[in-house]
Amino acid sequence: MGKIWEEELDELQRKLEELKTEHRDLDIVIQQLSESIPVDFLRLQRLKKRKLALKDMIRKIEDMLTPDIIA
């Protein structure tokens, strides 16, 4: 592997960790918001949508980092 490839892998790993952290943080915020009274349904919906988008990005990066295995 070349140096550029290794740098790209490192960058993907860093991005993946950032996305996972944000995803976990959103879990906490969504839980707290859903327990608050009154519930801000619009904000809750937006946060859930963002969390789902993060999950998709995480999965995409994980797929990029996982080598293809020919069975």
Side-chain angles (χ1 to χ4, degrees):
M1 259 192 272
K3 184 177 180 180
I4 293 174
W5 179 245
E6 290 176 20
E7 289 173 3
E8 289 175 2
L9 286 177
D10 289 344
E11 181 60 32
L12 281 175
Q13 286 286 7
R14 280 191 295 276
K15 183 65 176 172
L16 181 61
E17 289 307 313
E18 289 174 13
L19 293 173
K20 285 182 175 183
T21 299
E22 185 178 351
H23 189 268
R24 282 190 301 270
D25 291 347
L26 275 176
D27 257 342
I28 295 167
V29 172
I30 288 169
Q31 181 65 33
Q32 291 172 343
L33 188 61
S34 65
E35 294 172 353
S36 67
I37 297 177
V39 177
D40 185 347
F41 289 106
L42 182 59
R43 183 169 179 224
L44 193 58
Q45 181 180 9
R46 287 178 180 157
L47 292 172
K48 286 181 178 183
K49 189 173 183 178
R50 173 67 181 156
K51 185 179 169 200
L52 187 58
L54 288 170
K55 184 177 178 182
D56 290 342
M57 288 187 272
I58 289 168
R59 187 169 292 140
K60 183 177 179 180
I61 292 174
E62 286 175 339
D63 287 347
M64 292 170 69
L65 292 171
T66 305
D68 291 335
I69 300 173
I70 299 173

